[in-house]
Amino acid sequence: LVTHCVGVPLVLYLRQAFFCPLASLIPTVALVLTLKTLAPPTSWLILATEVAAGLVLYTATAVRFCLDGPQRATLTGYLKRTCRGAAA
């Protein structure tokens, strides 16, 4: 098993590989079901807006819960440099 070769216990690997992304998905599923119930898409624009809202929520929760401190700092630095370069 790969986990044996790299010295990571299987439970730890499964938790890091699957639990965080699936836990981040829960608020997104709740949002999508709420939007489907309260405001079903009647046009492509509304559908695209609802999908974008779901993606933003998933990205925010995934960054918060799936990345550790140094990874978040690297991502934040990259985004700041990219946004600064686009504004110039």
Side-chain angles (χ1 to χ4, degrees), residues 40-85:
T42 55
S43 70
W44 286 106
L45 179 62
I46 294 172
L47 178 63
T49 304
E50 292 179 0
V51 168
L55 288 173
V56 167
L57 179 61
Y58 180 77
T59 301
T61 56
V63 166
R64 173 66 182 99
F65 296 113
C66 296
L67 299 180
D68 60 12
Q71 291 172 328
R72 275 195 302 275
T74 301
L75 179 63
T76 303
Y78 172 77
L79 291 175
K80 285 180 182 178
R81 286 190 308 275
T82 302
C83 292
R84 205 173 315 132

Side-chain angles (χ1 to χ4, degrees), residues 1-64:
L1 262 153
V2 174
T3 56
H4 178 69
C5 292
V6 295
V8 176
L10 182 61
V11 174
L12 178 63
Y13 169 76
L14 291 175
R15 184 177 56 184
Q16 290 179 338
F18 294 108
F19 178 74
C20 288
L22 290 176
S24 297
L25 193 60
I26 293 170
T28 306
V29 169
L31 174 68
V32 168
L33 291 176
T34 301
L35 289 174
K36 180 182 175 188
T37 304
L38 298 178
T42 55
S43 70
W44 286 106
L45 179 62
I46 294 172
L47 178 63
T49 304
E50 292 179 0
V51 168
L55 288 173
V56 167
L57 179 61
Y58 180 77
T59 301
T61 56
V63 166
R64 173 66 182 99

